Amino acid sequence: MDKNSITDFSPEAVVIAAGCFPVSEMALRMLDSSDRIVCCDGAADRFIAEGGKPWRIVGDCDSLSPDIMTRFSEIVRRNPDQETNDLTKSVSYLASKGIKRIAVLGATGLREDHTVGNISLLVEYLGMGLDVRAYTDYGVFIPVKGDREFQCPTGTQVSIFNFGASGISATGLRYPLRDFTSWWQGTLNETTAPQFTIRARGTYLVFINYQEKN
C-alpha cells in the first residue's frame, strides 16, 4: 500500500497558477526547492515583479503583459488551445518533458469558479499518470486511486471528496467513511492516530490541513 506524508513530497517542478499566491511555509518550501518553476500565463507578471525567475511561462498568453512577453520570449511556450485552461497547459507541457511529480501553487482564491475547476483537474491529471498536488495556505489537495495510508499528527483536519469511488472505508479517522454522493458529505473529518488509511475502489480527493486542531 502506498504511504504519504504531507511533508515528504518532492516535486520535480512547481506550477504557479493565477490565484492567490501562497505565503504558508509548506507552499513556499516547495517553491524554494524547485529549479523548474512554470508560471501560468498572467501569473508570470506577479511572480517576476516580486523577484521570481520562472523556468517556463505557459498558456495562451492572453493575460501576459507585452513587456514580459518580450523580455522573456525565450521561455514562453504559447498554447492557444481554448479547450483547456492555462493550468492544464502547464501540467501537460511538463508531462511532455517526462515530469510527473508536480506541485501547484496559486490554484485557489480570487475566482471561486477557477478554484473549483483547478481542484477538480487534479483528478484528471491522476488519470494521466501524474502525481499533481495543490498546496494552499491551509493544506494540500492530493488525488488518490485505490488504497492509501497517510501520515500526519493526531487531530489533523481532513476532508475526502469522492470522484466515483466505491467501497470506501477508513481507519484512523474520527468519523466513518462511506460511498458519498455529494462532496460536502466527506468534509470536516479528523485523525485519531498519527496515520490514517483509506480503502476504496476508484478515485477520490483528500485535503489535509497543515495544522492540527487546537
Side-chain angles (χ1 to χ4, degrees), residues 127-142:
M128 295 165 56
L130 308 175
D131 188 354
V132 184
R133 307 180 182 192
Y135 289 80
T136 76
D137 279 339
Y138 305 100
V140 55
F141 286 94
I142 305 174

Side-chain angles (χ1 to χ4, degrees), residues 1-4 146-150 196-199:
M1 181 186 299
D2 291 334
K3 297 182 179 181
N4 276 268
D147 300 344
R148 187 70 60 89
E149 180 180 290
F150 298 89
F196 67 96
T197 300
I198 299 178
R199 299 184 182 277

Side-chain angles (χ1 to χ4, degrees), residues 39 41 44 55-61 64-65 68-79 93:
C39 289
D41 205 340
W55 175 66
R56 295 289 186 270
I57 299 171
V58 180
D60 56 17
C61 298
L64 188 64
S65 70
I68 296 299
M69 184 74 172
T70 300
R71 288 170 52 202
F72 293 86
S73 59
E74 291 186 357
I75 64 170
V76 172
R77 300 295 183 266
R78 184 173 182 272
N79 183 341
Y93 173 80

Side-chain angles (χ1 to χ4, degrees), residues 68-109:
I68 296 299
M69 184 74 172
T70 300
R71 288 170 52 202
F72 293 86
S73 59
E74 291 186 357
I75 64 170
V76 172
R77 300 295 183 266
R78 184 173 182 272
N79 183 341
D81 184 6
Q82 294 302 307
E83 296 301 316
T84 61
N85 67 2
D86 290 333
L87 176 58
T88 297
K89 292 169 186 174
S90 297
V91 169
S92 297
Y93 173 80
L94 289 169
S96 72
K97 303 299 181 183
I99 297 171
K100 295 185 176 182
R101 293 193 316 277
I102 303 167
V104 177
L105 310 181
T108 62

